[in-house]
Structure formats: structure tokens, C-alpha cells
């Protein structure tokens, strides 16, 4: 089920990782709810362009695209500059992009761990640093970080991914305190295993363990994650700040 | 309004101070210029002069006078 009450009318949202998995569903859910969207992806593909065009015309909302590689700080900065030149306000930032890596620590190079942190943590902080400056001027905003239950619980093979998501949770809680004076809320979502391409990248055994731990014994649907983000983005959650919301069907 | 008038007005509004107190003003020398006040000051300057300061410049912005030096990098001439 997807909520549709125009909860984000007159709001502008920036979503990273908008070209796949949960990100695509976020774009659709937010467009359905009347948001103007900056959809960010790493590179241009005909499928992505077509997807954005379709969503934009179906829901009659403005969706603009930004391309940048999360591993490249200069590229992120150059790309986000358009928000300044166009004097675009950003009411909601969804730090959704991320990369999965599974493997025992002894089978993971430090460079791989650094790369996972670069995408799942440092680039997210960089984007928050940039976008929160716009929000400070507006004296309002909602930031949503896509963490993971792997950042709260521990699983063998998750040292790189889980640590990066745990770091994001810590940053979320700290920044909630730093940004509250400017009326900016920041929360995290911790999805359980979700039915996206990322789930396919997992080792079957690890995936089964996670599923068996879930009370509802199934994968999350991407729209179940997107609806939680919608709630946190909307004015329905104006007193929710510094929280991590698990969307895992119960563990 | 000239640039210096705008600059002074922002300091006056952010920290509730008079123009005579400004030249010697440094970070944390008045109650309002703490870390939160600093971000409010930066936001007000960016809004007023239509610029976006680099993080390094936000960190280096340690006094009223230093701020003027930094803004020159963004073509704000006093």
C-alpha cells in the first residue's frame, strides 16, 4: 500500500541513490505526495531518464536530476552548486545511496572497508554538511539517513557494512542535537533485509539467518521503507528527532 | 546599503552588539558568538551576500576582522 495524501505538497526533496532499489520507490512515493524532487544518481542511463520522465508526468511534479559519484567530494560539491545558483530550497534530504559489502574481516581488505565508509558514511556527512547550510538559512528541514539493522545488530560478515551504518546512526543522533537550534530534524531508518538488488548480493546463508530472525519471516518491500521516509519527511513527524526507526517486521 | 553596513548590521543582529564593540570582536568573546551563534552568523552572511562559504573558511572565521578578509575571497569588497 502506498500513502497518497499530498503530504509533501510545496516541499522540495533531494534523494540520493534515486536510480535503483529503495531510491526509485522513494522518488515515486514522494512524487505521489506532491513533492518537487532533485533525484541524484551516479550516472545517466536511458532507463533512469525514462523513469524520471514517467513519474514526473504521471504525478505532475517537477523532478530534476543531478549526477555525482559519492566517492568524489569535488564532484558532489560541483553538482550541488546548482542548488545555490537556482536558489532552490531543500526541505527534505534523503541520504539513501549506499553500498553493500559482505565478508569476514579476514577476507576484507582495509581499502574495501575505507571504500564502504567513503560511500556509506563520509559522503553522507558531506552532503548533510552542504544541505544543512541551506536548511539553516530556511530555519527548517528534515534529514533522513538510510541506515540498516546491521548498524544496530551484529552479523558475521558485516564488519564493514554494519560499522559504516552504525557510524551513520551515531552521526544522526549527534547531528539531531547540533541542528535542533535551527529547526532541522534528522532521523535514520534501519531497514531489515529489503527486496532489492542489494539483497541479491548477499550470501544465501547470511540472508537465511536474517530472514529466520525476522518475526514476519519475509523481506521488507521497498515501499514499506519509503512510507516510513515519507512520514519522517512530512509534517506528521515534527517532534520526532534523533531517532532510528527499525523497519524490519520485528526481530 | 554598502557592504560594510550590511556586514555590521548582521553582527549587530546576530550578537546584539553595538558598532563600537565590533572591531575587537572574536569568536566566543561575547555570549551569542558560540558555535550555534557562529552557524547563524554564517547563514546570515551567506544569505545577505548571496555566497556559500567553504567549510575551511567557516572554521577560519575567528573574528570580525578575519571575517572581512575571508569575504574578500568571495569578491565582497569593503
Amino acid at each position: 500500500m502506498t500513502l497518497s495524501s499530498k503530504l509533501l505538497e510545496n516541499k522540495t526533496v533531494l534523494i540520493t541513490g534515486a536510480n535503483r532499489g529503495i531510491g526509485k520507490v522513494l522518488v515515486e512515493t514522494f512524487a505521489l505526495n506532491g513533492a518537487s524532487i532533485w533525484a541524484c544518481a551516479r550516472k545517466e542511463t536511458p532507463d533512469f531518464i525514462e523513469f524520471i520522465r514517467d513519474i514526473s508526468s504521471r504525478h505532475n511534479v517537477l523532478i530534476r536530476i543531478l549526477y555525482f559519484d559519492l566517492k568524489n567530494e569535488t564532484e558532489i560539491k560541483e553538482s550541488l552548486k546548482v542548488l545555490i545558483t537556482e536558489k532552490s530550497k531543500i526541505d527534505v534530504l534523503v541520504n539513501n545511496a549506499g553500498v553493500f559489502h559482505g565478508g569476514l574481516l579476514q577476507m576484507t581488505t582495509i581499502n574495501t572497508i575505507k571504500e564502504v565508509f567513503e560511500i556509506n558514511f563520509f559522503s553522507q556527512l558531506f552532503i548533510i554538511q552542504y544541505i544543512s547550510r541551506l536548511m539553516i538559512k530556511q530555519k527548517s528541514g528534515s534529514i533522513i539517513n538510510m541506515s540498516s539493522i546491521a548498524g544496530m545488530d551484529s552479523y558475521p560478515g558485516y564488519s564493514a557494512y554494519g560499522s559504516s551504518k552504525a557510524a551513520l546512526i551515531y552521526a544522526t543522533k549527534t547531528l539531531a542535537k547540533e541542528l535542533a537550534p535551527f529547526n532541522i530534524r534528522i532521523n535514520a531508518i534501519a531497514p531489515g533485509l529489503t527486496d532489492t538488488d542489494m539483497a541479491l548480493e548477499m550470501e544465501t546463508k547470511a540472508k537465511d539467518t536474517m530472514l529466520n530472525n525476522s518475526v514476519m519471516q519475509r523481506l521488507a518491500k521497498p515501499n514499506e521503507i519509503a512510507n516510513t521516509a515519507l512520514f519522517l519527511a512530512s509534517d506528521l513527524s515534527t517532534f520526532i528527532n534523533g531517532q532510528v526507526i527499525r523497519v524490519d517486521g520485528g526481530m | 546599503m554598502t557592504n560594510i553596513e550590511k556586514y555590521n548590521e548582521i553582527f549587530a543582529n546576530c550578537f546584539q552588539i553595538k558598532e563600537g564593540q565590533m572591531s575587537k570582536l572574536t569568536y566566543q568573546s561575547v555570549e551569542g558568538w558560540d558555535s550555534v551563534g557562529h552557524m547563524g552568523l554564517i547563514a546570515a552572511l551567506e544569505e545577505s551576500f548571496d555566497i556559500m562559504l567553504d567549510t575551511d573558511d567557516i572554521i577560519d572565521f575567528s573574528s570580525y576582522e578575519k571575517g572581512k578578509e575571508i569575504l574578500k575571497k568571495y569578491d565582497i569588497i569593503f
Side-chain angles (χ1 to χ4, degrees):
Chain A
M1 189 187 104
T2 306
L3 295 171
S4 171
S5 307
K6 299 288 178 201
L7 289 174
L8 301 179
E9 202 141 46
N10 301 320
K11 288 193 190 288
T12 305
V13 181
L14 188 140
I15 303 169
T16 64
N19 60 334
R20 55 189 289 207
I22 294 169
K24 275 177 99 167
V25 183
L26 280 167
V27 171
E28 183 153 18
T29 305
F30 283 27
L32 181 66
N33 279 274
S36 299
I37 298 172
W38 289 94
C40 310
R42 188 158 58 92
K43 59 182 181 192
E44 183 176 332
T45 62
D47 283 357
F48 183 51
I49 302 269
E50 187 48 42
F51 166 73
I52 293 297
R53 203 171 284 154
D54 174 52
I55 297 289
S56 177
S57 75
R58 262 200 289 142
H59 302 295
N60 197 26
V61 292
L62 177 65
I63 307 182
R64 283 165 291 183
I65 302 176
L66 292 176
Y67 295 108
F68 50 81
D69 184 347
L70 287 171
K71 283 186 278 186
N72 187 332
E73 198 176 298
T74 312
E75 218 175 272
I76 299 174
K77 196 172 162 184
E78 284 306 310
S79 189
L80 293 181
K81 260 187 189 163
V82 68
L83 304 176
I84 310 292
T85 53
E86 292 206 4
K87 295 193 186 300
S88 174
K89 61 173 187 143
I90 298 291
D91 300 293
V92 179
L93 162 66
V94 189
N95 261 322
N96 166 70
V99 65
F100 174 73
H101 176 80
L104 299 178
L105 180 64
Q106 305 302 343
M107 296 165 70
T108 307
T109 65
I110 292 297
N111 272 344
T112 300
I113 299 174
K114 283 181 181 171
E115 197 170 301
V116 171
F117 263 78
E118 190 62 49
I119 294 170
N120 290 357
F121 184 62
F122 293 115
S123 72
Q124 320 284 344
L125 287 195
F126 184 74
I127 293 170
I128 292 171
Q129 205 173 41
Y130 199 97
I131 299 296
S132 66
R133 302 259 302 279
L134 304 179
M135 291 176 168
I136 286 172
K137 284 188 212 168
Q138 299 159 195
K139 291 206 163 39
S140 69
S142 172
I143 298 171
I144 300 155
N145 289 329
M146 204 55 76
S147 183
S148 164
I149 56 165
M152 307 177 85
D153 308 336
S154 56
Y155 303 94
Y158 273 70
S159 54
Y161 181 76
S163 302
S164 70
K165 293 298 189 180
L168 192 58
I169 287 174
Y170 184 85
T172 301
K173 291 181 177 181
T174 307
L175 294 176
K177 293 187 171 82
E178 290 188 14
L179 295 173
F182 305 103
N183 194 32
I184 299 167
R185 298 181 296 113
I186 173 163
N187 294 287
I189 298 173
L193 200 54
T194 305
D195 193 7
T196 64
D197 289 348
M198 207 182 257
L200 299 176
E201 291 171 32
M202 283 185 75
E203 207 180 75
T204 315
K205 217 165 128 186
K207 190 171 157 181
D208 289 346
T209 308
M210 256 186 161
L211 274 179
N212 288 333
N213 285 342
S214 165
V215 176
M216 294 181 81
Q217 298 277 301
R218 67 168 173 84
L219 299 175
K221 296 172 194 155
N223 72 307
E224 291 170 323
I225 312 300
N227 284 341
T228 308
L230 171 63
F231 168 69
L232 290 173
S234 76
D235 291 340
L236 292 176
S237 61
T238 47
F239 206 47
I240 297 181
N241 192 19
Q243 301 303 307
V244 185
I245 301 186
R246 295 182 72 116
V247 187
D248 61 3
M251 297 286 278
Chain B
M1 200 184 259
T2 65
N3 284 341
I4 191 69
E5 283 169 343
K6 277 205 270 184
Y7 188 71
N8 287 350
E9 187 179 78
I10 288 166
F11 269 81
N13 289 341
C14 285
F15 306 134
Q16 312 301 315
I17 53 168
K18 303 230 177 316
E19 222 168 298
Q21 298 171 265
M22 288 178 189
S23 64
K24 300 250 179 301
L25 198 69
T26 57
Y27 179 54
Q28 295 191 338
S29 64
V30 288
E31 201 189 333
W33 200 354
D34 57 7
S35 54
V36 173
H38 191 61
M39 290 317 297
L41 169 70
I42 298 298
L45 289 168
E46 288 182 336
E47 182 74 25
S48 179
F49 291 108
D50 200 17
I51 52 172
M52 182 110 179
L53 297 177
D54 285 336
T55 305
D56 286 343
D57 290 328
I58 296 175
I59 297 164
D60 287 346
F61 201 120
S62 55
S63 68
Y64 169 86
E65 288 299 333
K66 181 75 183 172
K68 285 200 281 188
E69 240 174 72
I70 287 170
L71 291 193
K72 280 181 193 159
K73 286 172 33 183
Y74 298 84
D75 299 325
I76 312 299
I77 307 302
F78 294 99

